[in-house]
Amino acid sequence: QKEVEQNSGPLSVPEGAIASLNCTYSDRGSQSFFWYRQYSGKSPELIMSIYSNGDKEDGRFTAQLNKASQYVSLLIRDSQPSDSATYLCAVNDNYGQNFVFGPGTRLSVLP
Amino acid sequence: DAGVIQSPRHEVTEMGQEVTLRCKPISGHDYLFWYRQTMMRGLELLIYFNNNVPIDDSGMPEDRFSAKMPNASFSTLKIQPSEPRDSAVYFCASRDYYGYTFGSGTRLTVV
């Protein structure tokens, strides 16, 4: 059973701080990793993808991947109240066809 | 592109009635997925198609659920008969190499 785990939260950070979201996965053969943001009552939207070990930066967002330890993280710098949402980690399975989603971490950025 | 289009946005039906949810994927995306999201269980994969062919329907909860994809631009998810425990948000998503794009979802309430 392929699993993706996340701390359900809520994770509360003050405005301007760094929010750190973590995700672990069980399938060592996983190749692709994604972070989705879901606002309440809305559909998930892709914010970051990462395929290689190390860091990938896009604006205020940095994704970090460590395949040896089977974890992927998302850092949000200078957090804003508009970042308050549920963040879903998704992992592409070994066959590359299906994404397995974690349960999501609810982030609350306090003004 | 208009994105993934789902209809209806909201559906309220009585227990025992048939419900049909509809989805139009993004043109050129060769994978289509049906998900169900609830607070208790998060985002659950129900079934997915590749090039209109069902690949994995192991997530379909029981025989009351069925899905079809008669062509590359249209898919349906049918529940017959519907039960109150089917109440959830149902998302359709299509994907290319870069990730999933979700539709806006159908909020189903079975009373």
Side-chain angles (χ1 to χ4, degrees), chain A residues 63-80:
Chain A
Q64 299 174 319
L65 175 61
N66 184 325
K67 290 185 179 181
S69 300
Q70 294 177 242
Y71 86 79
V72 57
S73 62
L74 180 70
L75 302 179
I76 307 175
R77 292 182 299 282
D78 188 24
S79 296
Q80 301 297 310

Side-chain angles (χ1 to χ4, degrees), chain A residues 1-15:
Chain A
Q1 174 93 17
K2 304 181 183 69
E3 292 185 352
V4 178
E5 297 185 349
Q6 297 179 255
N7 189 325
S8 62
L11 172 66
S12 296
V13 300
E15 184 175 355

Side-chain angles (χ1 to χ4, degrees), chain A residues 32 34 36 38 41-46 49 51 88 92-93 96-103, chain B residues 9 31 33 35 37 43 45 48 50 55 91 95-105 107:
Chain A
S32 310
F34 304 83
Y36 284 79
Q38 186 175 24
K42 302 294 185 182
S43 58
E45 57 177 331
L46 178 66
S49 60
Y51 308 98
L88 300 165
N92 198 333
D93 70 12
Q97 293 187 340
N98 184 25
F99 291 11
V100 180
F101 284 84
Chain B
R9 291 294 306 274
Y31 285 88
F33 301 80
Y35 283 88
Q37 188 174 40
L43 201 59
L45 176 66
Y48 75 94
N50 178 216
I55 302 299
F91 287 108
R95 65 152 274 209
D96 60 8
Y97 174 79
Y98 300 102
Y100 282 31
T101 300
F102 285 83
S104 299
R107 182 174 295 277

